[in-house]
Amino acid sequence: MADLSQQDWTVKLNNDDNALILDVRTPEEFEAGYIPEAININIYEGQGFLDAVNKLDKSKNYYVYCRSGNRSRQACALMNNLGFDQAYNLEGGILDWKGKIIQ
């Protein structure tokens, strides 16, 4: 797991052909606005979150975010424990997502 600033996260994401964006907020938070192309898996679902994440392709590089960076940091650590080698946490979460389109 790596904590990346918005700039580093964005640059790395934009240069990664094997990237997947993961939003770990609640469905309600996701519906209120999200980073384009993100998929939503709610970390608060506990075992459901682990089950859903375990179905993801471990060969992908995951760019993970939440509201402020705390849940996504936890999600990255859980993903690392499940065998995901490349999980990048967006420091500051979507609150610090400046100058980007949020749908």
Side-chain angles (χ1 to χ4, degrees):
M1 174 188 76
D3 290 324
L4 300 177
S5 67
Q6 176 193 332
Q7 180 178 356
D8 291 342
W9 196 85
T10 304
V11 168
K12 193 165 187 65
L13 172 65
N14 288 339
N15 291 304
D16 189 342
D17 292 333
N18 196 35
L20 196 145
I21 304 170
L22 179 61
D23 182 322
V24 298
R25 299 175 301 153
T26 66
E28 294 79 18
E29 289 174 300
F30 184 76
E31 288 301 318
Y34 57 89
I35 296 173
E37 299 181 28
I39 62 168
N40 179 231
I41 303 176
N42 182 4
I43 193 170
Y44 287 146
E45 290 182 2
Q47 188 60 46
F49 172 78
L50 294 174
D51 292 344
V53 166
N54 242 339
K55 293 177 184 173
L56 297 174
D57 183 349
K58 288 186 171 86
S59 71
K60 295 280 187 187
N61 301 322
Y62 290 89
Y63 294 80
V64 187
Y65 74 94
C66 64
R67 182 179 164 274
S68 66
N70 293 325
R71 285 177 280 175
S72 52
R73 184 175 297 112
Q74 293 171 9
C76 287
L78 290 169
M79 292 174 77
N80 287 157
N81 289 339
L82 292 171
F84 290 84
D85 293 329
Q86 304 299 319
Y88 304 104
N89 177 46
L90 175 59
E91 289 181 336
I94 202 166
L95 288 177
D96 286 348
W97 190 253
K98 299 173 187 160
K100 298 293 175 194
I101 297 171
I102 298 175
Q103 297 185 355

